[in-house]
Amino acid sequence: MRILVDADGCPVVDSTVALAKAHHIECLLLCDTSHVFEKDDAKTLTFSKGADSVDFALVNLVQPGDIVVTQDYGLAAMCLARNAAVLNQDGMEYTADNIDALLLQRHTAKKIRNAGGRLKGSQKRKPEQNAAFLDKLTELLSAYESRSL
């Protein structure tokens, strides 16, 4: 098992790397050339800057049982299809039960924007979101470790 992070714009890179290190799990940070990450306890993979280049690279690397951290619903859906566990940066786990509704929500928002409508942006990140993410990632890592014993 590995942790793969869609690191472009991800607010939980440092905490993910620290948790991976504590659990002796390999951590891969995937980013494009406009973002540079150098973390001592993670391997950084950099891809050309292009539409979804990092997403497709991540999907090609992910294996069953890996954990993926992303806020991209489309990428989450592709990783679920490859039997990975997928989390967003707020600790929500993407599942077969919620991904269709999330993709529909994304599609609807895009239609509104394309028609000239405006939607509220994201709120400022709160410490509770970081805590929820760490709790969920710890839960997934603990479940993996208990299965491995």
Side-chain angles (χ1 to χ4, degrees), residues 112-124:
I112 291 169
R113 286 191 304 275
N114 286 345
R118 297 190 63 185
L119 301 169
K120 276 178 93 172
S122 300
Q123 294 180 347
K124 185 176 178 182

Side-chain angles (χ1 to χ4, degrees), residues 2-19:
R2 304 169 299 173
I3 300 174
L4 293 86
V5 181
D6 179 9
D8 293 336
C10 181
V12 293
V13 170
D14 291 335
S15 54
T16 302
V17 171
L19 209 51

